[in-house]
Amino acid sequence: MDSIGDWIIMLAAASLMGWWVVRRFDRWLHEPPGSRLRKLALAGGVDEDDNVLSLREQGYEVLSGKHRIPLGVVIDDGPTMPTRLYFDYLAVKEDKYYLVKLERSRQPMEWTASGLRERLLAYALLFPDCEGIVIVHSQERQIKTVRFKVEDGQ
């Protein structure tokens, strides 16, 4: 009799675990686009500075600031080397999300297609729900929006 009772308990535990896995997968599958960005928007505070004021003057609402995205890099099955990507703000304008990077004098932006690709494409790929990447040049009080578009290879 103990053997049958053990099987019933094992079956009940496996059923419960299977139900939990299916439910989590279904929740992930039906998660609305942009929910990752909304979670990110709630994560950080915003320090009022000239850059935030410039963005507000242009119609952006700054949701959060100073984000760090941890990444790991592995070369030929070696140890994982940690690195990170940073962006300065997450903003919204007309119900569209934008990542905001500040252009700093020690690391000026190269305003060519290849320079922008090398510097910003990783952000566009990590956050495909974003409408674009806003670059704020605080010294000149300029704001530019960069969008990537996949074109036909013809």
Side-chain angles (χ1 to χ4, degrees):
M1 201 62 143
D2 286 335
S3 157
I4 293 174
D6 290 344
W7 277 104
I8 291 173
I9 291 173
M10 289 287 281
L11 253 151
S15 298
L16 186 63
M17 184 178 268
W19 173 78
W20 180 79
V21 167
V22 168
R23 187 165 179 246
R24 292 285 298 184
F25 178 73
D26 186 59
R27 185 180 292 168
W28 171 80
L29 189 62
H30 292 99
E31 190 174 51
S35 65
R36 185 173 168 199
L37 290 172
R38 284 190 285 279
K39 290 176 189 173
L40 202 58
L42 299 173
V46 178
D47 295 331
E48 294 292 322
D49 59 8
D50 292 338
N51 299 314
V52 173
L53 295 176
S54 295
L55 286 165
R56 286 195 180 137
E57 287 172 3
Q58 295 294 321
Y60 293 94
E61 178 187 349
V62 179
L63 302 174
S64 61
K66 306 299 178 193
H67 292 282
R68 181 179 68 188
I69 303 161
L71 300 171
V73 178
V74 177
I75 300 173
D76 292 336
D77 297 327
T80 302
M81 297 177 285
T83 187
R84 352 175 168 44
L85 280 176
Y86 295 96
F87 64 94
D88 296 296
Y89 301 107
L90 179 63
V92 68
K93 181 179 183 179
E94 299 172 0
D95 294 326
K96 295 178 182 173
Y97 289 96
Y98 295 88
L99 297 180
V100 180
K101 294 271 303 162
L102 301 179
E103 185 175 8
R104 293 179 169 80
S105 58
R106 60 187 155 106
Q107 237 179 354
M109 192 71 62
E110 185 179 330
W111 291 101
T112 62
S114 60
L116 293 170
R117 180 196 66 221
E118 294 296 320
R119 187 91 174 267
L120 302 175
L121 184 61
Y123 297 101
L125 294 175
L126 277 172
F127 297 99
D129 298 329
C130 280
E131 183 67 20
I133 301 162
V134 176
I135 309 299
V136 178
H137 193 290
S138 53
Q139 292 175 343
E140 297 176 14
R141 296 188 59 86
Q142 279 186 330
I143 295 177
K144 296 181 182 181
T145 304
V146 177
R147 292 178 182 88
F148 292 96
K149 177 182 162 193
V150 178
E151 296 180 353
D152 292 335
Q154 297 176 5

